[in-house]
Amino acid sequence: MMQRERLRIAVQKSGRLSDPCFDLLDRCGLRFRRSRDGLFCFGEGEPIDLLLVRDDDIPGLIAQGVCDLGVVGRNVLVECSGAEANGGVCALRDLGFGRCRLAIAVPDGREYVDAASLAGARIATSYPNLLRDWLVRQGVAAEVVTLAGSVEIAPRLGTADAICDLVQSGATLAANQLREVETVLESEAVLVAAAALPADGRSDAIELLLRRIDGVTRVRGSRLLLLQAARDCVDAITAALPGAPRPTVLSMDGQPGQVMLQALCPDELGWRQLEAIQRAGARELFVLPVERALA
Ligand code: ATP
Ligand code: ZN
């Protein structure tokens, strides 16, 4: 391993993971100055720099010690992890964005009952390792056709009978007269690292980053609910809270029968939910956004 004092994180230069990744780093309080050639982003406060690359290169850059951490889809991590050159790269955290699934889809008109329906079929994919593993687990013998891109048009071109590709909404499949039939892998962006984390000056930066990522992801989308109520209503109100958080109940000075209640709700609180909580006896309800948390 190279000796470096500054932590280096590999992130996708441009693509689906770039914006949410920069947004996460921003929420972690990290600011960067981009190098003129657009390859690096230099951290302004903390000793953390970014290397901007194609997502497929990230596991290899970490395995070689060029970067310490990286952000990739689990699909890329698992697909690459079979290669010896990428040995030992593993996921440290799920990041909650870039959600999609690697799915098998067949032409609308093709009959499909279960995995056995794929026996003898040619399946086009950019994820040959993941697909082969899945076929082995299903006990199905099919031909894997590896394509670098435009997998979804292979059935119409007659070069494949089915595809195995990333799906988010399913719109691309529908536009190509394909129907999703199996899920091979559920994916989201993950923070990856070599199995052995650096033990030099970079370890403080890793600790800072993980603590802040946890502080952001733990409360992402959650809301703090504050309200007042008669003590007798606390059970009914607790039952009405979505996501079953455990509320904190505080007594109010000079009002023995009254309490103030606060609860961290995992999701947005809509009007209907608030109205149900109000019917359970709550008054003075406030819903506050939550930006970060520190245990
Ligand atoms: P690069 O030029 O960096 O190689 P790419 O074309 O491989 O880019 P993108 O299409 O930007 O990559 O996708 C990056 C990651 O985003 C995927 O590996 C996957 O984890 C995630 N992702 C989320 N939704 C989708 C989707 N609908 N299609 C493809 N990838 C998706
Ligand atoms: Zn890629």
Side-chain angles (χ1 to χ4, degrees):
M1 269 298 151
M2 257 175 276
Q3 284 291 311
R4 263 191 283 110
E5 284 304 307
R6 296 179 68 86
L7 189 69
R8 195 182 285 165
I9 311 174
V11 306
Q12 192 186 22
K13 181 170 191 152
S14 69
R16 289 188 159 91
L17 301 181
S18 305
D19 284 349
C21 181
F22 279 104
D23 181 59
L24 173 66
L25 294 169
D26 186 64
R27 285 168 189 268
C28 288
L30 303 178
R31 304 284 177 267
F32 300 95
R33 185 170 39 80
R34 216 164 167 133
S35 71
R36 211 172 279 180
D37 59 10
L39 180 61
F40 286 97
C41 282
F42 299 109
E44 303 210 298
E46 307 298 337
I48 300 177
D49 303 323
L50 310 179
L51 184 66
L52 308 179
V53 292
R54 289 200 56 193
D55 64 346
D56 316 69
D57 296 336
I58 291 175
L61 288 167
I62 293 172
Q64 293 162 41
V66 175
C67 295
D68 308 299
L69 303 175
V71 175
V72 288
R74 168 162 289 120
N75 50 299
V76 168
L77 173 67
V78 181
E79 178 67 20
C80 295
S81 60
E84 208 170 311
N86 297 329
V89 176
C90 54
L92 290 182
R93 293 290 189 277
D94 291 345
L95 298 176
F97 59 83
R99 289 218 168 89
C100 60
R101 54 199 180 275
L102 185 66
I104 295 185
V106 298
D108 281 336
R110 187 185 167 101
E111 196 191 344
Y112 188 92
V113 181
D114 56 21
S117 307
L118 295 168
R122 295 163 304 160
I123 311 175
T125 190
S126 305
Y127 295 88
N129 296 325
L130 275 161
L131 176 56
R132 273 193 207 102
D133 283 354
W134 184 84
L135 288 167
V136 167
R137 286 203 304 279
Q138 303 299 316
V140 172
E143 185 189 340
V144 175
V145 180
T146 305
L147 299 179
S150 303
V151 168
E152 68 282 358
I153 60 172
R156 274 194 290 151
L157 298 180
T159 51
D161 308 303
I163 67 164
C164 171
D165 202 5
L166 295 174
V167 182
Q168 200 173 36
S169 66
T172 307
L173 293 183
N176 287 283
Q177 296 105 51
L178 296 165
R179 145 175 138 261
E180 190 174 342
V181 292
E182 300 280 356
T183 300
V184 172
L185 180 81
E186 296 278 358
S187 184
E188 69 182 275
V190 290
L191 182 73
V192 296
L197 289 173
D200 53 22
R202 292 170 284 179
S203 58
D204 285 349
I206 293 180
E207 205 182 298
L208 172 141
L209 181 72
L210 292 178
R211 187 172 62 240
R212 292 188 182 178
I213 286 178
D214 291 344
V216 172
T217 52
R218 228 178 78 199
V219 295
R220 183 179 284 150
S222 53
R223 299 287 185 276
L224 184 68
L225 173 68
L226 299 178
L227 58 84
Q228 295 179 23
R231 195 175 282 280
D232 304 343
C233 300
V234 168
D235 287 346
I237 290 171
T238 302
L241 298 177
R246 209 143 52 92
T248 307
V249 181
L250 308 159
S251 46
M252 291 170 68
D253 261 357
Q255 301 184 58
Q258 298 295 310
V259 293
M260 171 121 192
L261 189 145
Q262 72 179 41
L264 187 64
C265 299
D267 303 303
E268 203 175 326
L269 282 161
W271 284 108
R272 278 168 190 277
Q273 290 165 326
L274 274 189
E275 287 153 1
I277 296 165
Q278 190 183 42
R279 280 196 298 278
R283 299 175 282 112
E284 299 290 324
L285 292 86
F286 290 95
V287 179
L288 283 68
V290 181
E291 289 184 1
R292 38 188 161 253
L294 203 55

